Amino acid sequence: MPTGLFITLEGLDGSGKTTQIKRLAAWLHNRNPTEDPVLTRQPGGTETGDRIRALVLDSRSTGLAPMTEMGLMFADRAQAIAEVIRPALDAGKTVLCDRFTDSTEAYQGGGREFGSESVLELHRLVCGNLQPDLTILLLPTLDFSLTRARRRNQHVETSSGLNETRFEQEQDAFFTRVWRKYHEIAAREPNRVLLIEGDLSIDEVHEQIVTAVSKRLRARARKKSAAVTLTDRHRSI
Ligand code: TMP
């Protein structure tokens, strides 16, 4: 049984996930420098995953069938679970993952209109139904996110030669469906998903995140000490 803490960050492109994941990692490091979290992202985060990322995000990957796209997202995830996530959780570490299956539900289930059930079914099959302990869902306004994502990707493309603009070229209707599906997920799973809405400052968002993470860390510590007490009792019988 995994003993670590699995935290995922979700949101539309340009929602500020990457900034927040770095701030959270720094906060966790300051709290306990001997227990640095494992940082990863999807698609990507493994050698195989980085190749899949290059293929699926490149705007030159024209004609990718929607089912191929969804299959690639799950292939990437299966590799990340086997190589990074599961071993880290089994070793009791905290894993911070930039996007997970909620992204597939929102983008392929919502955006590409496959619906939630097919995504959740694949998740059960391919990912052993692994669930995050906490998901932080950043949803600033749609306009704000899209403008930021498109500006950022132009910059990334010119400065590093990377082309990751395939999704940003989708129409607003696609992103509206993604946005709705994210809301649906948050309403369905309020215990797992912390929804942070509106155009808040970086500091305000960070504060909300650390409050939720602190709560989960305390719960995990309580669970661990209860397990130790049980084992001790078992030994003394
Ligand atoms: P990001 O790494 O900058 O967040 O970009 C990843 C892109 O891939 C983003 O547009 C969302 C998309 N995506 C999916 O469509 N489905 C998925 O399952 C994942 C993980 C990402």
Side-chain angles (χ1 to χ4, degrees):
M1 201 180 128
T3 53
L5 192 67
F6 185 28
I7 301 174
T8 59
L9 267 92
E10 291 284 350
L12 280 177
D13 309 77
S15 58
K17 283 180 295 93
T18 311
T19 306
Q20 290 299 337
I21 214 166
K22 283 188 193 147
R23 292 241 354 220
L24 177 58
W27 180 84
L28 285 165
H29 174 81
N30 287 338
R31 191 179 169 274
N32 187 351
T34 60
E35 265 193 41
D36 269 341
V38 172
L39 248 90
T40 187
R41 68 171 176 179
Q42 294 185 0
T46 62
E47 203 183 319
T48 306
D50 287 340
R51 289 187 183 187
I52 294 174
R53 181 179 177 94
L55 173 67
V56 82
L57 299 191
D58 193 320
S59 64
R60 289 165 298 187
S61 301
T62 50
L64 212 57
M67 190 53 97
T68 309
E69 178 185 281
M70 180 149 82
L72 286 170
M73 294 300 181
F74 272 110
D76 165 72
R77 189 159 302 128
Q79 189 67 31
I81 290 173
E83 217 179 297
V84 179
I85 299 174
R86 184 65 78 185
L89 292 177
D90 287 347
K93 295 186 178 159
T94 296
V95 176
L96 302 183
C97 190
D98 189 340
R99 298 193 181 280
F100 194 60
T101 298
D102 293 321
S103 281
T104 317
E105 191 177 343
Y107 282 77
Q108 281 68 48
R112 302 275 185 240
E113 302 183 89
F114 280 114
S116 292
E117 203 32 61
S118 53
V119 177
L120 298 178
E121 185 68 44
L122 277 169
H123 183 70
R124 284 189 282 272
L125 193 73
V126 178
C127 307
N129 209 26
L130 177 66
Q131 298 294 328
D133 297 292
L134 171 66
T135 296
I136 295 148
L137 172 54
L138 304 183
L139 283 183
T141 60
L142 194 58
D143 273 358
F144 177 90
S145 302
L146 289 185
T147 311
R148 218 172 143 241
R150 287 182 177 135
R151 201 174 45 224
R152 183 195 60 180
N153 276 301
Q154 261 171 15
H155 177 72
V156 168
E157 200 174 357
T158 45
S159 64
S160 65
L162 268 181
N163 176 331
E164 297 198 335
T165 59
R166 204 174 134 261
F167 281 96
E168 281 74 19
Q169 290 170 357
E170 289 294 335
Q171 301 301 308
D172 287 1
F174 172 87
F175 288 107
T176 305
R177 289 195 295 275
V178 174
W179 164 273
R180 288 209 184 110
K181 189 56 88 180
Y182 266 138
H183 272 285
E184 215 180 288
I185 297 168
R188 185 184 70 211
E189 295 183 58
N191 292 334
R192 172 175 69 87
V193 182
L194 168 70
L195 172 61
I196 303 181
E197 288 183 281
D199 298 336
L200 303 174
S201 72
I202 291 176
D203 285 346
E204 285 168 329
V205 173
H206 177 66
E207 273 313 306
Q208 290 198 34
I209 292 176
V210 297
T211 304
V213 171
S214 303
K215 207 169 127 191
R216 293 303 200 283
L217 286 168
R218 282 197 300 273
R220 184 181 61 156
R222 276 198 302 273
K223 228 161 107 183
K224 264 189 187 168
S225 69
V228 170
T229 315
L230 257 179
T231 314
D232 287 349
R233 244 191 244 154
H234 206 78
R235 275 207 203 99
S236 64
I237 293 173

